[in-house]
Amino acid sequence: MRALVWHGANDIRCDTVPDPEIEHPRDAIVKVTTCAICGSDLHLHDNFMPGMEKGDIVGHEFMGEVMEVGSEAKSALKVGERVVVPFTIWCGECDQCKRGNYSVCERSNRNKALADKVFGHTTAGLFGYTHLTGGYAGGQAEYVRVPMADRTHIKIPSGLTDEQVLFLGDIFPTGWQAAAQCDIQPTDTVAIWGCGPVGQMTIRSAVLLGAKQVVAIDRVPERLAMAKAGGAITINFEEESVVERLNELTGGKGPEKCIDAVGMEAHATATLDSMYDRAKQALMLESDRAHVLREMIYVCRPAGVLSIPGVYGGLIDKMPFGMAMNKGLTWRMGQTHVNRWTDDLLNRIQEGQIDPSFVITHTVPLDQGPEMYKTFRDKRDGCIKVVLKP
């Protein structure tokens, strides 16, 4: 089969690789009909995430048709069913899964010992996302093996296109969780840093959850225009002060809820702390650029909430933790517990409350994926979200 394969920093290729096979009775084989490039994939492309190995198949946002089902998954899945596959692999049996904390499943990471050493305790296995999370083959491919498939799936009813439901596997529930864990009240101002695909879903989630006003912060005109169309007040951080504008919008008190939809590769360049981060990163003395986190801590209203769906991979420096502690800020973060939210979100799509396909700007064949990684990363050609067709 054909698949997108990691060969090193800035080197993803469309290669011919062996077809996946059933390896465990709970497995299923899915023929991928549609997949996408996620912002988190760029962290692998740019080699900011540890644990990648040459030859790894990438991609964690995909859906398709069930082609083969292991003996222990046949009660949950049938050949021919359409499924979206969440990026988090979960067993449904451990203590964390029973609590709905699927992204920290205790059993799905087959490299648990390695994750225990790095994180203190393992997190869930993830598709196409480093050997720290199991080293599972990803879904930017013609076929994929789905472990624990009796749990790790979202069944899709007829009448909905791939594009309407694909993002149930990652960015839609990620944006929803980012907003939901803020406990948004009707009087709240919600400020969201980053208007990429996750930021766009977060904006619309905050609007659906009833925020008084949603403020979106970015510098890319196409992203800001899409955010405005979704109901947000926009701030271009290259043209005006984020701090001053947020104070103006909140009567000098700051937003109650702040969401980091950027993560480790913040692109601010004109601030002292961002220059410091880039210098330390170049010398391999720091792994993540934390400008957004610092700015959120500074502008957030005392007793407010910081929600962090943006991915961080390692160590950050110069974090004003005393400021956060003295202001009494609550931090809520983590990879998405996808299936905790998908029943509700699928209903919202069916009812017409939202059509997540609005975010798609480019649809290309799988073999154009390597070039589209660069287009997406460099934000060329108005690119916000790339869908691939194997």
Side-chain angles (χ1 to χ4, degrees):
M1 70 172 185
R2 301 290 283 170
L4 299 190
V5 177
W6 190 87
H7 286 269
N10 302 303
D11 188 5
I12 287 176
R13 307 175 196 171
C14 189
D15 291 343
T16 298
V17 299
D19 291 350
E21 298 178 348
I22 296 287
E23 298 177 14
H24 185 276
R26 293 181 70 183
D27 287 353
I29 303 299
V30 171
K31 179 182 180 181
V32 178
T33 54
T34 308
C35 56
I37 301 175
C38 183
S40 300
D41 292 326
L42 295 181
H43 304 324
L44 308 182
H45 180 269
D46 297 341
N47 203 27
F48 284 118
M49 295 294 289
M52 291 297 291
E53 295 181 7
K54 185 176 180 179
D56 287 344
I57 299 172
V58 293
H60 59 266
E61 201 165 30
F62 60 96
M63 66 174 295
E65 179 184 347
V66 178
M67 303 300 289
E68 188 176 355
V69 182
S71 60
E72 293 181 16
K74 288 185 176 179
S75 61
L77 282 176
K78 293 179 174 58
V79 171
E81 289 184 314
R82 287 175 76 213
V83 292
V84 170
V85 181
F87 75 94
T88 48
I89 303 167
W90 57 290
C91 72
E93 298 163 351
C94 69
D95 288 343
Q96 293 287 9
C97 283
K98 289 176 181 177
R99 290 174 169 82
N101 299 327
Y102 306 124
S103 73
V104 288
C105 172
E106 297 168 327
R107 298 182 182 178
S108 62
N109 188 345
R110 59 186 177 184
N111 292 334
K112 178 181 183 301
L114 179 61
D116 283 343
K117 286 183 179 180
V118 174
F119 298 135
H121 300 282
T122 190
T123 56
L126 307 179
F127 287 99
Y129 214 75
T130 93
H131 290 261
L132 287 175
T133 56
Y136 291 99
Q140 290 171 5
E142 293 179 321
Y143 296 89
V144 65
R145 180 179 76 92
V146 180
M148 300 180 176
D150 53 319
R151 298 287 185 169
T152 305
H153 70 269
I154 304 157
K155 287 186 183 179
I156 302 303
S158 60
L160 296 171
T161 66
D162 279 15
E163 286 74 14
Q164 285 178 288
V165 296
L166 171 64
F167 303 132
L168 285 170
D170 184 355
I171 62 170
F172 189 13
T174 294
W176 187 268
Q177 178 172 299
Q181 65 192 7
C182 285
D183 187 25
I184 293 172
Q185 302 300 309
T187 55
D188 282 347
T189 293
V190 180
I192 299 165
W193 278 255
C195 296
V198 168
Q200 299 294 339
M201 297 299 171
T202 307
I203 289 163
R204 284 151 180 82
S205 297
V207 170
L208 284 170
L209 287 168
K212 177 184 175 182
Q213 59 181 352
V214 177
V215 185
I217 302 153
D218 205 292
R219 64 174 181 175
V220 180
E222 294 86 355
R223 291 183 173 192
L224 290 167
M226 186 177 283
K228 187 174 182 179
I233 300 166
T234 59
I235 299 175
N236 185 329
F237 66 78
E238 289 191 335
E239 296 179 355
E240 57 183 329
S241 165
V242 173
V243 176
E244 291 177 5
R245 182 71 172 128
L246 286 174
N247 280 330
E248 177 187 319
L249 290 167
T250 58
K253 293 185 176 183
E256 290 91 346
K257 311 294 165 60
C258 296
I259 300 176
D260 174 2
V262 176
M264 67 171 70
E265 292 188 74
H267 285 94
T269 57
T271 62
L272 182 61
D273 72 310
S274 63
M275 290 185 281
Y276 170 89
D277 283 339
R278 287 178 179 273
K280 292 207 71 171
Q281 193 179 62
L283 295 170
M284 292 187 290
L285 298 173
E286 180 183 25
S287 58
D288 302 359
R289 303 195 292 263
H291 170 76
V292 168
L293 285 179
R294 298 187 194 100
E295 192 162 74
M296 290 203 316
I297 291 169
Y298 188 78
V299 303
C300 190
R301 187 176 303 202
V305 175
L306 308 180
S307 176
I308 308 168
V311 173
Y312 287 85
L315 302 174
I316 54 179
D317 200 359
K318 296 294 184 289
M319 184 55 57
F321 203 80
M323 189 188 300
M325 180 271 169
N326 282 286
K327 291 172 75 174
L329 303 182
T330 296
W331 297 59
R332 303 193 71 180
M333 66 193 85
Q335 298 283 6
T336 310
H337 309 304
V338 175
N339 288 78
R340 182 191 292 184
W341 313 107
T342 48
D343 287 350
D344 176 40
L345 298 182
L346 180 57
N347 285 334
R348 290 175 184 270
I349 293 170
Q350 290 179 296
E351 292 170 0
Q353 294 184 34
I354 184 171
D355 180 352
S357 66
F358 77 88
V359 79
I360 299 169
T361 54
H362 293 66
T363 300
V364 301
L366 182 70
D367 60 8
Q368 293 183 25
E371 179 58 33
M372 291 310 300
Y373 262 86
K374 297 172 184 176
T375 299
F376 181 36
R377 179 196 62 191
D378 299 337
K379 303 171 183 66
R380 301 196 308 259
D381 192 32
C383 186
I384 296 177
K385 186 67 174 180
V386 178
V387 164
L388 304 172
K389 294 287 187 176

